[in-house]
């Protein structure tokens, strides 16, 4: 039986700061390079390989679309490094997170990307696996490779719902702004 619906929020740098970085061009440091033919958007996220070291991995994840309502039953975290998701299409997707440390579901939050935004989960931040919407979606994923256990999964004590009504509220507000 499904539990409470999670409020879905608009993804912004400020609202997501406790969980990592929002990767977007708006407001980013940028400058011209290559004789003025290219605009470089610089230092968009902190890639954290943790004190144990390791190496940076660049991957493509292909996410299957999730139907709403969707039941959130578990979260995962990467204790040895950060993990960034950068969408390759302009399609909104959902992000569910909880702060690093002991999993506290009372601090769990849900966000919707505008489609251009990526996220970089800080080391140890609890998050749900990729939540693509509408169609198959590809993401560049930058994370840590190397020795050590770097993925913990935890079932939630109750199931939480991501609903179309909550998504419509925030997307309607974004269109009105």
């Amino acid at each position: 039986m499904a539990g409470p619906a999670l409020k879905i929020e608009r993804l912004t740098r400020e609202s997501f700061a406790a969980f990592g970085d929002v990767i977007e061009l708006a407001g980013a440091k940028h400058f011209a390079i290559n004789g003025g033919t290219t605009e470089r958007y610089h230092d968009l996220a902190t890639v954290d390989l943790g004190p144990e070291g390791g190496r940076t991995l660049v991957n493509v994840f292909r996410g299957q679309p999730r139907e709403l309502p969707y039941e959130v039953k578990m979260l995962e975290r990467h204790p040895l490094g950060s993990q960034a998701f950068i969408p390759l299409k302009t399609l909104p997707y959902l992000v569910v997170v909880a702060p690093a440390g002991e999993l506290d579901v009372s601090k769990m939050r849900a966000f919707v990307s505008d489609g251009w935004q990526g996220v970089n989960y800080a080391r140890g931040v609890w998050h749900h696996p990729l939540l693509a919407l509408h169609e198959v979606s590809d993401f560049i994923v930058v994370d840590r490779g190397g020795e050590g256990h770097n993925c913990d999964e935890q079932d939630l004590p109750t199931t939480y719902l991501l609903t179309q009504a909550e998504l419509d509220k925030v997307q309607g507000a974004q269109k009105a702004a």
Side-chain angles (χ1 to χ4, degrees):
M1 176 138 158
L6 281 172
K7 176 185 175 199
I8 299 174
E9 305 172 53
R10 189 171 147 252
L11 182 64
T12 67
R13 281 190 177 101
E14 297 76 24
S15 64
F16 196 75
F19 308 104
D21 307 302
V22 172
I23 301 169
E24 64 183 339
L25 302 185
K29 296 179 276 185
H30 63 282
F31 49 90
I33 61 171
N34 300 331
T37 63
T38 302
E39 193 75 14
R40 177 178 174 154
Y41 290 83
H42 184 71
D43 200 17
L44 298 176
T46 301
V47 177
D48 180 357
L49 299 179
E52 296 82 11
R55 62 187 179 87
T56 304
L57 299 177
V58 177
N59 315 280
V60 172
F61 285 18
R62 179 161 288 159
Q64 301 302 310
R66 309 295 180 115
E67 295 291 324
L68 297 179
Y70 181 78
E71 293 183 348
V72 176
K73 298 177 181 181
M74 61 78 73
L75 295 179
E76 66 179 30
R77 68 177 175 185
H78 305 284
L80 301 181
S82 60
Q83 187 179 48
F85 286 76
I86 305 160
L88 294 177
K89 288 184 178 180
T90 310
L91 291 170
Y93 63 96
L94 296 173
V95 173
V96 175
V97 291
E102 184 82 21
L103 180 56
D104 182 350
V105 294
S106 73
K107 295 182 179 173
M108 194 166 51
R109 293 174 65 187
F111 298 92
V112 60
S113 165
D114 67 8
W116 282 105
Q117 298 166 304
V119 294
N120 183 44
Y121 300 119
R123 182 167 31 108
V125 164
W126 291 97
H127 60 278
H128 193 279
L130 186 57
L131 290 165
L133 297 171
H134 310 302
E135 62 183 73
V136 173
S137 300
D138 290 341
F139 291 77
I140 297 288
V141 177
V142 180
D143 61 359
R144 180 195 180 278
E147 297 297 315
H149 176 78
N150 194 30
C151 186
D152 298 327
E153 294 181 357
Q154 188 167 327
D155 291 333
L156 301 179
T158 189
T159 299
Y160 293 83
L161 283 179
L162 296 170
T163 67
Q164 188 64 51
E166 278 295 320
L167 182 60
D168 290 346
K169 277 189 225 177
V170 70
Q171 288 183 322
Q174 281 178 314
K175 287 178 186 172

